[in-house]
Each structure stands twice: as C-alpha cells, then as structure tokens.
C-alpha cells in the first residue's frame, strides 16, 4: 500500500536489525525507500537496551524523528538511536507540533488547565514540571495516577506504580500547591 501511496517502489525489510537489513540499506540508491519491520517485536526496543540500539542504528547515517506521539518515549528507536547517529533531528511535522503546543501554552487563554495522561510518571515528569508554572490546574490521568496516589499515602492495591518515582511525584505535588 505504501508503494501505491508514494507512487514508487517501497521495499519491505524482513526485520529492523541484522545483516539482511544492512545489505538492503547499502544497496539503496538516492530516493529509494525501504520500510523496516516493527521494532516493537523486540522487548529490547521498549527497554532501550544499548546492544539492540547499536544494531538498529548500525546501517544508518542520521536520525529524523517526525512522530510527535512517540517523541516522549525513551525507547531504542526514538531516544537510543540519538546516541549513535548524528545528526539526530526533529522532522518538519514534529517541529510544527511543538511550535503549536508552545504557542498554545505561552499565549493561551487564562486560566489554563492541562490534562496529562499515560502509564508512567518517568516519561512525563519533565512535561509536568514545565506545566506547573504555566497552568492553574493540571489533571493527571492514566496509569501514572497511581504513583501520585501512593505519593499522597493512599492505598493503590496492585495497580501499576513506579516506586522509583514516588518521591518525584511527591515533589511535584508540593510544587503544585
């Protein structure tokens, strides 16, 4: 389908790492396109394991991230590769999204509220800290709410909690008051 949409051949790699992928990348000419297999098939992707990152980055010269929805993740294919590839830059769409978001926060109507959700405090903490000075209210949702509830001393049962970030959540709550 990608070939149809782009009007040119798009080769599908059988994997996202390995010798066969490296050979396909080496054989590419100017303007050629290959699509790698999904990195999420590897548990090392979400764990951002350096050995996997190095294999993933090996055949490439640079990194462009144009996926706003995943830019906050410290995964091998979004954050890890930036340690192995230079330049590592934002794409035009990501830059446009960030510019829009910055404008909305800096020039938005007051009072302003932000809704921040997700499963992990660790991946949202810098956003939360930045919003503390800009918003009158911050609404926290998703799985990370349980880390904040535990930080307030409330029982959370067997819910997902990032115990390493309970103290961080406590500091955010203190700064929010």
């Amino acid at each position: 389908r990608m070939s149809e949409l782009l009007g040119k051949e798009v080769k599908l790699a059988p994997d996202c790492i390995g010798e066969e992928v490296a050979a396909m990348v080496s054989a590419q000419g100017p303007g050629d396109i290959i699509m790698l297999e999904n990195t999420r098939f590897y548990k090392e992707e979400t764990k951002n394991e350096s050995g996997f990152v190095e294999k993933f980055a090996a055949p490439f010269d640079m990194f462009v991230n144009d996926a706003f929805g995943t830019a906050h993740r410290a995964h091998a294919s979004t954050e890890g590769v930036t340690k192995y590839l230079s330049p590592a830059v934002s794409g035009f769409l990501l830059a446009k999204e960030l510019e829009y978001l910055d404008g909305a926060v800096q020039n938005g109507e007051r009072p302003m509220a932000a809704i921040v959700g997700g499963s992990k405090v660790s991946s949202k903490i810098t956003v939360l800290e930045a919003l503390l000075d800009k918003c009158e209210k911050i609404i926290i949702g998703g799985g990370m709410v349980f880390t904040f509830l535990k930080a307030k001393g409330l029982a959370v049962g067997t819910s997902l909690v990032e115990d390493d970030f309970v103290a961080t959540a406590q500091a955010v709550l203190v700064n929010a008051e």
Side-chain angles (χ1 to χ4, degrees):
R1 175 89 171 117
M2 189 67 83
S3 294
E4 180 185 321
L5 292 170
L6 296 174
K8 65 185 308 176
E9 182 185 12
V10 175
K11 295 175 185 163
L12 177 60
D15 206 333
C16 60
I17 59 172
E19 292 177 19
E20 196 170 349
V21 173
M24 286 180 76
V25 172
S26 293
Q28 293 290 96
D32 288 348
I33 301 171
I34 63 171
M35 184 165 46
L36 300 178
E37 184 54 85
N38 193 338
T39 58
R40 292 280 192 139
F41 292 142
Y42 289 90
K43 68 181 184 318
E44 297 89 346
E45 155 68 359
T46 56
K47 294 180 179 180
N48 201 3
E49 291 183 7
S50 61
F52 177 75
V53 175
E54 192 168 9
K55 289 179 198 172
F56 180 65
F60 303 105
D61 299 319
M62 67 178 296
F63 173 69
V64 178
N65 186 351
D66 215 14
F68 182 79
T70 63
H72 70 282
R73 295 184 181 146
H75 292 178
S77 63
T78 56
E79 191 271 340
V81 293
T82 65
K83 294 177 176 73
Y84 293 90
L85 296 173
S86 183
V89 298
S90 299
F92 296 125
L93 181 58
L94 181 57
K96 183 178 176 183
E97 293 269 11
L98 291 172
E99 202 173 286
Y100 175 79
L101 181 60
D102 184 54
V105 172
Q106 297 298 332
N107 306 317
E109 290 184 32
R110 302 284 189 239
M112 183 180 292
I115 301 171
V116 181
S119 61
K120 296 188 268 179
V121 174
S122 57
S123 64
K124 308 291 184 311
I125 193 63
T126 54
V127 171
L128 288 170
E129 288 171 339
L131 290 172
L132 282 175
D133 295 336
K134 295 171 177 56
C135 297
E136 285 70 27
K137 292 192 183 285
I138 299 176
I139 301 164
I140 297 171
M144 71 175 170
V145 76
F146 297 107
T147 301
F148 280 90
L149 291 173
K150 186 169 183 177
K152 292 182 80 159
L154 300 171
V156 293
T158 59
S159 299
L160 173 69
V161 171
E162 284 186 285
D163 286 316
D164 294 348
F165 284 87
V166 170
T168 303
Q170 287 170 330
V172 168
L173 290 168
V174 166
N175 290 336
E177 290 180 4

